Amino acid sequence: MENPVGSSSRAGEPVFRSLALEAIPEPDYADVIVVPCRQSATSDPRAWADTVFSRSAMPRWVLALMALRQQLVGLAGIPKAPADVFAVSRVAGEEALITAEDRHLDFSCGVAFDAASHLLRVTTAVRLKGWRGRLYFIPVRVLHPLVLRAMMLRAARVLARN
């Protein structure tokens, strides 16, 4: 019998939980990206989330893509993202949650740091709404893993320096 997200398992069985999947338990899109980090990095999930999504820590090419997104979304009738779209809404244990709800999609992102294994994990869940959401997400589906991994690797370098 399968265990739903968030349920407990028998002793010794692997269990995967994320605040992102609690927020959107039946996503239209979901992914998990994991990157190794230096041992000297912080274990504070809010610091990780803030750094991963900080404009000052993002690679320049990611900033360029985000600026392009802000210019193009109006063509599909989608509002521009507010400045605080990636603000942490909740922290529980080793994970910080970022959520955003809009007319075209709901977005949930769990940023977790496993201090024992020095792994940064970002879980993304998206619920698409209507044709605008599906249209918007066509290029995002392709670019999201590449962009997010680059942001995570940059955050790991930034936090390793501190």
Side-chain angles (χ1 to χ4, degrees):
M1 177 176 194
E2 290 185 31
N3 290 321
V5 173
S7 71
S8 58
S9 69
R10 288 177 264 162
E13 289 184 358
V15 175
F16 174 75
R17 291 183 180 89
S18 174
L19 297 174
L21 295 171
E22 288 177 14
I24 303 177
E26 295 182 21
D28 294 307
Y29 173 87
D31 67 17
V32 179
I33 300 175
V34 179
V35 299
C37 301
R38 294 179 139 190
Q39 293 183 358
S40 61
T42 181
S43 62
D44 177 16
R46 181 179 296 273
W48 280 104
D50 289 345
T51 306
V52 167
F53 291 99
S54 166
R55 294 183 59 78
S56 64
M58 285 184 192
R60 287 192 178 128
W61 67 270
V62 172
L63 289 171
L65 283 176
M66 289 190 171
L68 180 63
R69 180 246 182 244
Q70 289 290 73
Q71 296 302 312
L72 294 177
V73 292
L75 299 174
I78 295 172
K80 292 182 179 183
D84 66 347
V85 69
F86 296 121
V88 172
S89 59
R90 178 176 158 214
V91 176
E94 66 181 23
E95 189 172 32
L97 179 66
I98 298 168
T99 60
E101 296 180 1
D102 209 333
R103 293 190 309 230
H104 66 295
L105 62 76
D106 295 337
F107 164 83
S108 182
C109 180
V111 180
F113 186 76
D114 182 333
S117 61
H118 307 289
L119 295 174
L120 173 62
R121 180 187 78 228
V122 176
T123 304
T124 304
V126 177
R127 180 183 307 118
L128 302 174
K129 298 177 180 177
W131 70 269
R132 283 181 176 89
R134 289 188 298 277
L135 177 65
Y136 168 80
F137 210 71
I138 290 170
V140 173
R141 182 180 300 271
V142 174
L143 294 172
H144 171 76
L146 303 170
V147 168
L148 184 56
R149 181 172 173 76
M151 291 166 57
M152 292 168 68
L153 290 169
R154 177 67 63 93
R157 286 193 300 274
V158 167
L159 289 175
R161 288 189 295 235
N162 296 338

